[in-house]
Amino acid sequence: MSKLNSSSSELDLDRPNIEDYLPTDSLHEPSGKLRLRDLLDNSPTLTEAAGAIVDDSFTRCFKSNPPEPWNWNVYLFPLWCLGVVVRYGILFPVRVLVLTLGWIIFLSSYIPVHLLLKGHEKLRKKLERCLVELICSFFVASWTGVVKYHGPRPSRRPKQVFVANHTSMIDFIILEQMTAFAVIMQKHPGWVGLLQSTVFESIGCIWFNRSEAKDREIVARKLREHVEGADNNPLLIFPEGTCVNNHYTVMFKKGAFELGSTVCPIAIKYNKIFVDAFWNSRKQSFTMHLLQLMTSWAVVCDVWYLEPQNLKPGETPIEFAERVRDIISVRAGLKKVPWDGYLKYSRPSPKHRERKQQGFAETVLRRLEE
């Protein structure tokens, strides 16, 4: 204990007294304590930092907001316990049975089609599309999914790309059960990665690794080649690049908007009355996320297929992306925030930190010279 006290006293000696560097008229408190206003006046950097702590709209985009507890009273607690028994003891086993049956039907049909019809590409692709839509329908049924689709169903046309806001990997499943999209998505490990490299690759899906710069060039080339093909499945892109909690939309990447193609916006909005469909991949595996959905009452959401958009004369791809983001945000009732979703996966660059440190040092030196 004495060692801790001595070390803390040594640290206190090393710390400068900020009051010595401020004008005496700025210290009005009789106790001699420095007020927050004086600290914030010392540097705009501190002001920015305090503002970020008070209103961190970036972190809020990637947090699940649990509902307030409603069952902790003598009247509702027994009903809540009954609901737990029904969800885990009755609905969950039935849903596992439904999903297992779906996989048996899918695999017993997909494997022969994939292996025996290699000489009949057109027929094979058509059957594989139907089978992928079927297994996605079984997934939605295993959540007791209640999905309302608004607008005309997408059709296969060249020079066309679909973009949607992104809450979870189940966005892809919900859209796929209606139309066999070819999607561009981050590579995943485990059984999801196995599906990506086998089943979903057969419908033209494109996978990338965001940590490898070479993948970006390869993906950009594959995207251009895909939208040019008349027989390819419609291309679906989630331009946010990461899952957002269905209250906000972050910046759209411009890749989908510089292909010279017609962009068809899709807005997805989940109702949190029964379960929060947001997937926080840093805190939860996709398997646990599916278990959470399968033990809920239902997954309820709306999907809007919105009016196709084209690049306007004089409009840049970035402006085009923002215009489409406006359309999706308004339709789904989401709040726009000016953040890049990839910041969730990376730290600020050393150069950015050095610039901030240099600016802070210059401000403090100017204040000391006054």
Side-chain angles (χ1 to χ4, degrees):
M1 191 69 180
S2 60
K3 290 182 179 179
L4 290 176
N5 291 335
S6 62
S7 61
S8 62
S9 61
E10 289 174 2
L11 289 174
D12 291 336
L13 291 174
D14 291 336
R15 293 192 186 105
N17 185 5
I18 191 69
E19 297 175 13
D20 296 338
Y21 301 106
L22 294 175
T24 55
D25 57 355
S26 67
L27 301 173
H28 301 293
E29 306 229 353
S31 61
K33 292 183 178 179
L34 193 63
R35 293 183 298 179
L36 177 62
R37 179 175 61 83
D38 300 316
L39 282 174
L40 297 182
D41 287 344
N42 192 45
S43 170
T45 305
L46 290 178
T47 305
E48 291 178 14
I53 294 171
V54 173
D55 186 18
D56 186 4
S57 60
F58 176 75
T59 304
R60 260 187 280 157
C61 297
F62 309 105
K63 281 186 176 181
S64 179
N65 301 316
E68 295 184 3
W70 54 268
N71 55 321
W72 299 113
N73 61 61
V74 69
Y75 305 108
L76 296 178
F77 186 72
L79 293 176
W80 178 80
C81 292
L82 178 62
V84 171
V85 172
V86 172
R87 288 188 290 115
Y88 285 86
I90 299 176
L91 291 181
F92 180 62
V94 171
R95 290 167 174 174
V96 170
L97 182 62
V98 169
L99 190 57
T100 303
L101 179 62
W103 275 112
I104 292 172
I105 295 173
F106 172 76
L107 292 175
S108 61
S109 303
Y110 180 84
I111 294 174
V113 167
H114 187 70
L115 296 178
L116 301 179
L117 295 179
K118 287 193 174 181
H120 306 79
E121 291 298 315
K122 191 171 183 180
L123 177 61
R124 181 173 66 86
K125 287 183 178 180
K126 182 178 180 180
L127 292 176
E128 286 177 347
R129 281 197 296 264
C130 294
L131 290 172
V132 170
E133 291 175 6
L134 177 66
I135 188 60
C136 289
S137 297
F138 274 106
F139 266 106
V140 175
S142 71
W143 316 322
T144 315
V146 181
V147 186
K148 293 182 180 179
Y149 297 91
H150 310 268
R153 181 173 174 172
S155 58
R156 286 192 297 126
R157 296 177 183 174
K159 305 288 288 183
Q160 184 175 254
V161 59
F162 291 81
V163 298
N165 58 300
H166 197 23
T167 305
S168 168
M169 271 184 62
I170 72 168
D171 301 337
F172 165 68
I173 297 174
I174 286 174
L175 296 176
E176 198 78 6
Q177 74 161 346
M178 289 293 289
T179 303
F181 287 104
V183 71
I184 172 173
M185 191 182 293
Q186 163 76 16
K187 289 180 181 177
H188 290 275
W191 66 272
V192 177
L194 180 62
L195 286 178
Q196 288 178 330
S197 60
T198 54
V199 177
F200 294 138
E201 193 168 289
S202 67
I203 57 174
C205 295
I206 303 170
W207 315 112
F208 69 93
N209 190 340
R210 62 169 51 93
S211 62
E212 297 182 11
K214 292 182 179 179
D215 270 13
R216 300 175 189 174
E217 301 174 3
I218 297 172
V219 166
R221 176 175 52 80
K222 287 183 177 180
L223 289 180
R224 292 188 177 89
E225 292 174 355
H226 188 97
V227 296
E228 295 291 340
D231 295 330
N232 292 334
N233 293 325
L235 181 63
L236 173 65
I237 297 177
F238 298 106
E240 289 174 299
T242 186
C243 295
V244 188
N245 64 4
N246 212 225
H247 291 283
Y248 302 88
T249 55
V250 297
M251 289 172 56
F252 280 10
K253 303 297 179 184
K254 66 177 182 177
F257 304 90
E258 55 186 8
L259 298 174
S261 304
T262 299
V263 174
C264 304
I266 301 176
I268 306 173
K269 180 66 175 179
Y270 291 93
N271 191 328
K272 292 177 61 176
I273 188 171
F274 294 120
V275 69
D276 186 0
F278 170 59
W279 177 37
N280 189 340
S281 58
R282 287 195 161 189
K283 294 185 177 180
Q284 189 181 45
S285 67
F286 188 63
T287 302
M288 294 305 299
H289 181 56
L290 286 182
L291 289 176
Q292 178 186 353
L293 299 179
M294 293 175 69
T295 53
S296 67
W297 288 109
V299 173
V300 182
C301 78
D302 288 271
V303 176
W304 290 273
Y305 298 109
L306 305 175
E307 184 178 353
Q309 304 293 321
N310 289 288
L311 187 69
K312 294 180 179 179
E315 189 177 38
T316 65
I318 294 177
E319 293 170 341
F320 187 22
E322 282 301 297
R323 179 161 60 87
V324 172
R325 184 160 76 113
D326 285 337
I327 294 171
I328 292 175
S329 301
V330 170
R331 177 64 274 185
L334 305 174
K335 183 179 179 181
K336 288 179 57 182
V337 290
W339 301 116
D340 185 344
Y342 278 7
L343 291 175
K344 185 173 77 169
Y345 300 99
S346 59
R347 298 175 179 270
S349 67
K351 291 183 179 179
H352 179 73
R353 292 199 302 268
E354 289 172 4
R355 284 198 299 268
K356 284 291 184 181
Q357 291 168 354
Q358 184 178 1
F360 177 73
E362 291 174 353
T363 304
V364 172
L365 288 174
R366 284 198 301 268
R367 188 65 182 262
L368 292 175
E369 291 173 357
E370 292 178 356

